Amino acid sequence: GTPVYYIVNKVGTYGIASAQFWWGRVAALINRLLIASGLACWSFIYVDDLLILLNLGSNEEEWSKAAAILLFLETLGFPVAWKKLRVGADQEWTGHLVQLHELRMSPTVAKATKGLAFLSHVQPGINIQLKLLQQGVGLLRFIADTAPEITPYLQPLHQWIAGLSNS
């Protein structure tokens, strides 16, 4: 008979609209497998950045779990960026500082500094481009994810953007 050929795409493509749709499902599956298998207590994925929370301490069994997680991810072909791999109680992750001993998550110093620099430009009598205003408010919205006490103060900035966008 006639031979049958199959084409298999083994490389994820971010340039097409459906890439996020499929990557989101693959990442969610990996997340669920890590937790269901008992390898991870908590696991978070933001786009392609994975954060796995383990109680390592000096417990050899927990360190074995950490090694098993890496083996598991490599076996599934999950893209592990070794240069970004970190182990410790305080870690930067997607612009946030995760502090496990304090059970706290806050913006990194770099993000907070950038937010303060933006706010120093938003003053009466100082012109600011709409695009820079939108970017700055977006950054402050990001910071507000882990510092919700600033959220009410963002309303005038959002209103300002809406007014400029409609004019």
Side-chain angles (χ1 to χ4, degrees):
T2 307
V4 178
Y5 296 98
Y6 295 95
I7 298 173
V8 179
N9 179 17
K10 295 173 63 175
V11 179
T13 307
Y14 281 103
I16 58 172
S18 64
Q20 193 284 328
F21 175 83
W22 293 110
W23 171 246
R25 275 140 186 84
V26 169
L29 174 64
I30 288 171
N31 208 19
R32 287 184 179 100
L33 288 172
L34 284 170
I35 293 170
S37 67
L39 289 174
C41 300
W42 290 88
S43 176
F44 304 95
I45 296 178
Y46 179 77
V47 185
D48 64 347
D49 288 328
L50 179 64
L51 175 68
I52 301 172
L53 304 181
L54 300 169
N55 184 15
L56 291 176
S58 60
N59 185 342
E60 193 173 305
E61 182 181 327
E62 291 297 325
W63 280 98
S64 296
K65 274 187 181 180
I69 288 171
L70 290 173
L71 181 62
F72 176 76
L73 294 173
E74 282 291 320
T75 302
L76 290 177
F78 189 87
V80 176
W82 294 100
K83 65 183 178 204
K84 292 171 69 176
L85 182 66
R86 305 281 184 274
V87 176
D90 296 342
Q91 294 297 321
E92 287 189 15
W93 180 65
T94 65
H96 303 289
L97 179 61
V98 179
Q99 297 169 298
L100 296 179
H101 292 302
E102 290 85 21
L103 298 176
R104 183 173 63 199
M105 192 171 187
S106 58
T108 60
V109 172
K111 290 283 184 192
T113 302
K114 200 171 176 183
L116 289 172
F118 163 72
L119 288 173
S120 71
H121 293 337
V122 181
Q123 297 177 23
I126 296 179
N127 292 334
I128 185 168
Q129 294 177 345
L130 177 60
K131 180 125 180 115
L132 293 176
L133 184 62
Q134 291 169 328
Q135 290 172 344
V137 172
L139 173 64
L140 294 177
R141 181 67 245 150
F142 176 87
I143 291 171
D145 286 343
T146 53
E149 58 277 359
I150 72 167
T151 302
Y153 301 103
L154 298 180
Q155 191 277 333
L157 295 172
H158 284 290
Q159 192 172 5
W160 188 15
I161 288 173
L164 290 174
S165 297
N166 293 331
S167 61

